[in-house]
Amino acid sequence: MEKVQLLKGNEALAEAAVRAGCRYYFGYPITPQNEIPAYMSKRLPEVGGVFIQAESETASINMVYGACSCGARAMTSSSSPGISLMQEGLSYLAGADLPAVVINVMRGGPGLGNISPSQADYLQSVKGGGHGDYNLIVLAPYSVQEIVDLTIKCFDLAFKYRNPVMLIADGMLGQMSEPVVLPKMIDVKDDLDWVVGNGNHAIIHSLYLNPEDMLEIHNAKLQKKYEAIKNECIEFEKYLCDDATSIFVSYGTPARVCKAAIDELREKGIKVGLFRPISLWPFPEKELNELASQVANHSGKVIVVEMAKNQLEQDVKLAVNGKCEIVALNKLGGAIFNETEIIDFVLKDRK
Amino acid sequence: MLSKIILAGFGGQGIIVAGKLLASAAMKLGKNVTHFPSYGAEMRGGTCNCSVVISDKQISSPIINEPDVAIVLNKPSKDKYEPKCKTNGMLILNKSLIKDETKRTDLKVGYIDASEIAERIGNSKVANMVILGAFAKITSLVNINSLIDSLKDVFPTMPDKLLDLNIKALQEGFNLAYVI
């Protein structure tokens, strides 16, 4: 067992990626994720890897496309405005069935916005910011240890399904330090028959000109893959939900703040719980729907808490499907929740 | 036990790294910790702060609204955090740079001539360590040995000579802190 270390979210993420076998990193600097490329630039040469600071985010994502085409464990990272620039590349990666890992340490928007923590890229991540019928697997940690665990999972899932995987964290998680235990270096032996240079494979592409006998079939294949992912990759946490009459739905840093609020509200005799989706796509729809029945039986509410407006809430509405009332508490533009606000919101809402 | 501590001062006074050392020392004592720095457009001479939460239980929120303890190294930070401290909370002041009296009467106030002591023992940059030593003495939330033991984790490449200076700074702060 490795020892407990105090690590910053971004640095822990970078080291976890290296231990998961990532040997190629391409990126362009942007706060609040700069510690990732800074760490990689020092660390990757030590393990025989390659670090390139690209000329732009567009270049970074396409470098990842190239490395993944050769079967390499490759990643890029950025923050909101940079991720917007990568959307075309993400669609191409999805279309070409490539196992890329992309990290978004989200900041306030829209536009250049600010550098404070935000969750306003939820819909862009889970509904596809690029063109075409495609899905990324999207995972959302809420602690530094979970950043480590999920980063490793990102690489596993990417290669298992040959699909791009995105990890989204608000800037708070990238910047905060917590005790973590890192896994040992994983000895990766990817034996891939589809990569460029293996046998007759000379090209990886997402171009299928003929609709009926090519692109339609390709899309059907992608959809079949997405169905498999929906069945196999759902992840979530329930906190004090068993006897809860109302439920918070939240992920990332706000989910932590909800937990603090829940502990205080329960001291006042108010039975609330937290449902925390960890896989944002696929979304744990069925599990939340079951909880909505429980909430409806108590005439309670589902309370969405997000640092964004009507984003997570949309998926919650689809999952709850009218079974109970939904209210939302939002913070926009990089502002951060504190537990008092959440507690006050619940107390006021009950009156 | 749940303690919320804010460290604040000028950019360049080593606020962020002092917070990291504090969190690291508490972690060594088996506590759960979080450390969150103000980040981004900070600069030498501007103000900067970090939040350290220490708890026996899992820490829900790394965000601090009302600190139990505010460790302030300059006057703008005292002005900002004195009103925010929890009722009956604590303020630890760098007396070398903060001459004003505290306005609140409920707070326990600890004093240390951090900048002067740092200069006397060889380098004004270790004022952050002096005030951490004072914090250990006044609050007993971490002990001086766990701080000293954590130096090598937080500064893995620091030469012995500077390590010794930092240890001395922690010890001087511990020995010379007082509470009124």
Side-chain angles (χ1 to χ4, degrees):
Chain A
M1 181 99 164
E2 290 257 342
K3 67 174 177 122
V4 183
Q5 303 177 55
L6 185 67
L7 284 182
K8 197 174 211 182
N10 285 332
E11 288 169 351
L13 188 153
E15 181 59 30
V18 170
R19 297 199 183 191
C22 177
R23 292 294 177 272
Y24 297 86
Y25 176 93
F26 314 101
Y28 187 82
I30 182 168
T31 305
Q33 62 84 52
N34 278 326
E35 292 82 3
I36 299 174
Y39 189 92
M40 285 304 208
S41 68
K42 214 161 70 179
R43 184 73 171 109
L44 279 175
E46 290 174 6
V47 292
V50 172
F51 167 88
I52 294 178
Q53 181 175 319
E55 70 270 33
S56 71
E57 289 84 352
T58 312
S60 311
I61 194 78
N62 285 294
M63 288 175 181
V64 170
Y65 185 107
C68 288
S69 299
C70 302
R73 295 203 160 203
M75 72 179 258
T76 184
S77 63
S78 189
S79 181
S80 310
I83 296 291
S84 293
L85 289 167
M86 293 183 185
Q87 292 306 322
E88 180 200 39
L90 283 166
S91 170
Y92 277 58
L93 284 160
D97 294 283
L98 287 175
V101 173
V102 179
I103 312 295
N104 182 4
V105 183
M106 296 178 282
R107 58 188 251 174
L112 207 47
N114 62 22
I115 57 173
S116 292
S118 169
Q119 298 182 314
D121 306 344
Y122 178 91
L123 287 176
Q124 184 196 53
S125 315
V126 303
K127 307 292 179 195
H131 57 281
D133 277 316
Y134 78 93
N135 282 108
L136 307 174
I137 299 171
V138 183
L139 304 179
Y142 90 136
S143 68
V144 178
Q145 184 65 54
E146 210 171 69
I147 285 178
V148 169
D149 301 343
L150 292 184
T151 299
I152 291 161
K153 192 160 208 168
C154 282
F155 283 96
D156 291 345
L157 293 177
F159 278 80
K160 182 174 176 193
Y161 294 102
R162 276 186 70 183
N163 203 69
V165 180
M166 184 178 271
L167 182 142
I168 65 174
D170 51 83
M172 171 79 80
L173 288 163
Q175 290 297 322
M176 72 186 279
S177 300
E178 275 188 306
V180 285
V181 178
L182 289 162
K184 287 206 169 67
M185 190 73 88
I186 298 164
D187 188 16
V188 178
K189 286 197 184 74
D190 289 323
D191 184 18
L192 312 166
D193 58 3
W194 51 266
V195 303
V196 170
N198 190 347
N200 292 326
H201 281 279
I203 190 163
I204 297 270
H205 63 101
S206 63
L207 177 70
Y208 298 84
L209 277 178
N210 195 346
E212 284 82 17
D213 63 352
M214 292 173 83
L215 191 52
E216 191 183 21
I217 292 167
H218 180 56
N219 264 290
K221 204 184 83 192
L222 287 177
Q223 291 304 322
K224 204 176 152 195
K225 175 166 81 175
Y226 299 148
E227 281 309 312
I229 293 169
K230 276 188 189 172
N231 289 328
E232 294 160 16
C233 300
I234 298 281
E235 218 176 312
F236 60 89
E237 185 204 352
K238 285 187 200 172
Y239 179 68
L240 301 178
C241 283
D242 286 351
D243 64 343
T245 54
S246 283
I247 301 273
F248 289 116
V249 183
S250 191
Y251 69 100
T253 297
R256 296 174 71 114
V257 188
C258 282
K259 278 192 174 180
I262 288 167
D263 292 344
E264 277 195 47
L265 284 164
R266 280 188 171 256
E267 278 172 26
K268 296 182 202 295
I270 301 167
K271 286 179 184 167
V272 280
L274 168 70
F275 183 80
R276 178 171 72 90
I278 296 170
S279 59
L280 301 182
W281 197 92
F283 192 81
E285 226 168 287
K286 191 165 68 75
E287 293 76 8
L288 181 55
N289 187 273
E290 283 162 12
L291 271 182
S293 305
Q294 176 186 328
V295 168
N297 286 340
H298 291 99
S299 308
K301 286 177 186 173
V302 162
I303 307 156
V304 181
V305 183
E306 60 176 328
M307 298 197 290
K309 183 70 185 175
N310 196 18
Q311 298 209 27
L312 171 65
E313 193 182 341
Q314 290 191 20
D315 274 342
V316 172
K317 277 180 181 157
L318 288 171
V320 168
N321 201 12
K323 271 192 178 167
C324 69
E325 195 181 338
I326 298 170
V327 288
L329 185 55
N330 313 92
K331 276 273 179 193
L332 308 184
I336 303 164
F337 285 111
N338 65 56
E339 60 249 43
T340 320
E341 290 170 307
I342 297 177
I343 292 164
D344 290 349
F345 180 84
V346 172
L347 294 177
K348 213 174 136 194
D349 194 59
R350 285 167 62 88
K351 277 178 189 157
Chain B
M1 193 276 304
L2 173 69
S3 299
K4 299 178 176 183
I5 302 144
I6 283 187
L7 290 94
F10 287 128
Q13 278 183 312
I15 301 297
I16 307 295
V17 83
K20 192 123 193 187
L21 187 73
L22 173 57
S24 188
M27 186 181 82
K28 271 202 187 320
L29 296 170
K31 306 288 185 193
N32 289 308
V33 294
T34 61
H35 172 262
F36 181 66
S38 60
Y39 62 89
E42 315 301 344
M43 60 181 183
R44 192 177 296 267
T47 58
C48 97
N49 69 78
C50 68
S51 306
V52 176
V53 182
I54 303 174
S55 178
D56 291 324
K57 294 198 288 188
Q58 196 188 346
I59 297 168
S60 296
S61 174
I63 304 150
I64 300 178
N65 307 309
E66 295 182 333
D68 297 297
V69 186
I71 305 172
V72 291
L73 277 94
N74 66 354
K75 189 177 172 305
S77 300
K78 174 192 170 283
D79 295 345
K80 182 172 176 189
Y81 290 106
E82 184 186 344
K84 290 190 179 177
C85 278
K86 207 178 208 167
T87 310
N88 301 321
M90 181 182 287
L91 199 58
I92 299 179
L93 302 174
N94 175 11
K95 202 163 177 292
S96 314
L97 298 182
I98 305 167
K99 305 296 179 195
D100 313 14
E101 293 298 316
T102 47
K103 294 182 188 77
R104 281 177 56 176
T105 51
D106 61 314
L107 298 179
K108 188 175 166 189
V109 185
Y111 296 92
I112 183 78
D113 277 316
S115 302
E116 277 167 39
I117 293 166
E119 217 152 302
R120 174 168 59 74
I121 64 171
N123 192 330
S124 60
K125 286 179 186 164
V126 294
N128 57 348
M129 295 295 132
V130 176
I131 207 161
L132 269 192
F135 172 85
K137 171 74 170 289
I138 295 166
T139 68
S140 307
L141 280 170
V142 288
N143 58 50
I144 186 87
N145 288 333
S146 61
L147 286 168
I148 291 171
D149 289 347
S150 298
L151 281 171
K152 267 201 165 12
D153 296 328
V154 178
F155 306 104
T157 58
M158 185 182 272
D160 285 348
K161 207 179 132 193
L162 282 177
L163 268 179
D164 291 344
L165 177 66
N166 279 281
I167 292 169
K168 179 129 203 260
L170 286 166
Q171 286 165 338
E172 288 287 300
F174 188 85
N175 293 333
L176 296 173
Y178 59 98
V179 178
I180 296 176

